[in-house]
């Protein structure tokens, strides 16, 4: 099972929208959503860890993504640099 999460900033109102992390019924060999932050534009995105790429790139600017360990890390807002808050919106499978 995977989680549907959203990160938002209480300071400036920035939101990531729904992000699907984890894996569904097909298992993590098919899709394994992990979180990554772009070193260049600071955007948070979902990375398919099942793809086994050496380099994960941002879809917006093609910058190098830094993979995050779960959702426990403090993630800075790309707009104002305050820490984003996470909300669990449900599950997907």
């Amino acid at each position: 099972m995977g989680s549907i999460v959203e990160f938002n900033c209480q300071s400036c109102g920035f939101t990531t929208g729904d992000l699907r992390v984890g894996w569904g019924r097909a298992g993590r060999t098919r899709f394994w959503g992990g979180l990554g932050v772009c070193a260049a534009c600071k955007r948070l995105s979902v990375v398919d860890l099942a793809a086994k790429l050496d380099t994960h790139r941002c879809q917006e600017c093609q910058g190098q993504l830094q993979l995050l360990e779960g959702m426990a890390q403090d993630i800075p807002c790309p707009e104002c640099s305050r820490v984003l808050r996470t909300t669990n919106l449900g599950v997907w499978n």
Side-chain angles (χ1 to χ4, degrees):
M1 285 251 211
S3 297
I4 303 170
V5 297
E6 178 181 59
F7 289 84
N8 55 56
C9 180
Q10 292 184 332
S11 181
C12 72
F14 170 81
T15 183
T16 61
D18 296 358
L19 300 174
R20 293 174 183 261
V21 295
W23 55 87
R25 256 183 237 174
R28 58 183 158 189
T29 57
R30 184 115 168 151
F31 176 82
W32 183 359
L35 293 175
V37 173
C38 179
C41 71
K42 310 296 184 215
R43 294 286 176 184
L44 184 66
S45 59
V46 174
V47 176
D48 184 3
L49 300 173
K52 298 188 193 308
L53 298 175
D54 291 335
T55 306
H56 294 282
R57 296 279 177 188
C58 176
Q59 292 181 352
E60 294 293 317
C61 73
Q62 297 304 306
Q64 179 68 44
L65 290 177
Q66 172 191 352
L67 299 179
L68 301 176
E69 293 290 328
M71 293 183 289
Q73 274 181 257
D74 286 343
I75 302 167
C77 175
E79 303 291 329
C80 72
S81 298
R82 298 271 179 126
V83 175
L84 294 174
R85 297 211 176 221
T86 181
T87 304
N88 190 341
L89 302 175
V91 297
W92 67 276
N93 51 13

